[in-house]
């Protein structure tokens, strides 16, 4: 099975486990749906925060050798990906992670715990990825705030998908 298929399967399983967790705990599944009265606000918030986060990381790369080294490590670890692969990975990872972390974990244990777990798992238990873990923890905190503000995961999922898509595309281009 290809890297992309394995990753998509993993993220679908992650999202499904979040939905099951919410359902088994009797939580309100509305956290997973866009608020039809505020959809423009939620979409604008997600796009704005996503683009601002990408710009912040780009500034980090331009000014911090640790950020450049991290991007180089991540690019070297990636297989060759087509644009459709990047889009599928960005969308599935954002949805799967946001359903589990902001939907289920945040609903059950609060935003602080969801943010810390999200950040730690992005560090991949490897000190070479400590900057990624710190950046993911900061992003996770912003995603948690967005979810509380909107009452749903839609803005966080949009921001997350944009961040992943733009950065993944750039990393793949830099690795070739």
């Amino acid at each position: 099975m290809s890297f992309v298929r394995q990753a998509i399967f993993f993220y679908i399983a992650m999202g499904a486990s979040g939905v099951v967790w919410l359902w088994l705990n009797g939580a309100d599944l509305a956290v997973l749906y866009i608020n039809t009265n505020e959809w423009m606000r939620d979409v604008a918030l997600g796009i704005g925060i996503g683009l601002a986060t990408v710009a912040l990381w780009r500034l980090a790369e331009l000014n911090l050798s640790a950020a450049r080294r991290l991007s180089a490590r991540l690019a070297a670890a990636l297989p060759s990906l087509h644009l459709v692969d990047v889009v599928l990975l960005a969308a599935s990872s954002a949805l799967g992670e946001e359903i589990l972390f902001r939907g289920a974990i945040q609903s059950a244990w609060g935003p602080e715990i969801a943010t810390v777990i999200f950040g730690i798992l992005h560090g991949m238990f490897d000190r070479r990825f400590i900057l990624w873990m710190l950046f993911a923890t900061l992003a996770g905190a912003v995603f948690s705030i967005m979810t509380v503000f909107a009452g749903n995961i839609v803005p966080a999922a949009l921001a997350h998908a944009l961040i992943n898509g733009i950065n993944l595309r750039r990393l793949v281009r830099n690795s070739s």
Side-chain angles (χ1 to χ4, degrees):
M1 188 182 297
S2 77
F3 168 80
V4 174
R5 284 185 184 171
Q6 287 177 343
I8 291 171
F9 178 77
F10 173 77
Y11 290 120
I12 288 171
M14 183 181 282
S17 67
V19 171
V20 169
W21 181 338
L22 286 165
W23 180 72
L24 288 175
N25 286 313
D28 187 359
L29 296 178
V31 72
L32 304 178
Y33 304 109
I34 194 160
N35 177 345
T36 56
N37 295 326
E38 299 289 346
W39 71 270
M40 287 177 59
R41 177 204 67 190
D42 290 354
V43 169
L45 180 62
I47 291 171
I49 294 294
L51 293 175
T53 304
V54 169
L56 181 63
W57 180 253
R58 188 67 187 123
L59 280 172
E61 284 181 321
L62 293 171
N63 294 294
L64 300 171
S65 61
R68 288 189 296 276
R69 281 192 309 273
L70 173 59
S71 289
R73 282 187 190 110
L74 292 171
L78 289 169
S80 177
L81 299 172
H82 297 286
L83 180 58
V84 69
D85 297 329
V86 169
V87 170
L88 290 171
L89 285 172
S92 64
S93 63
L95 283 172
E97 290 182 9
E98 292 310 314
I99 289 169
L100 180 62
F101 290 101
R102 255 53 67 190
I105 295 174
Q106 183 165 314
S107 293
W109 298 337
E112 297 85 0
I113 300 296
T115 297
V116 169
I117 294 171
F118 181 79
I120 289 170
L121 292 177
H122 280 80
M124 301 191 301
F125 306 101
D126 185 330
R127 67 183 190 92
R128 294 175 301 161
F129 295 103
I130 191 83
L131 184 59
W132 190 17
M133 181 183 75
L134 294 172
F135 197 80
T137 301
L138 177 62
V142 172
F143 296 160
S144 287
I145 291 166
M146 292 166 63
T147 299
V148 169
F149 173 77
N152 64 71
I153 66 166
V154 173
L158 282 172
H160 198 155
L162 268 174
I163 294 163
N164 288 359
I166 293 169
N167 286 331
L168 186 58
R169 182 67 174 157
R170 202 169 49 75
L171 290 171
V172 169
R173 282 186 179 160
N174 291 346
S175 70
S176 4

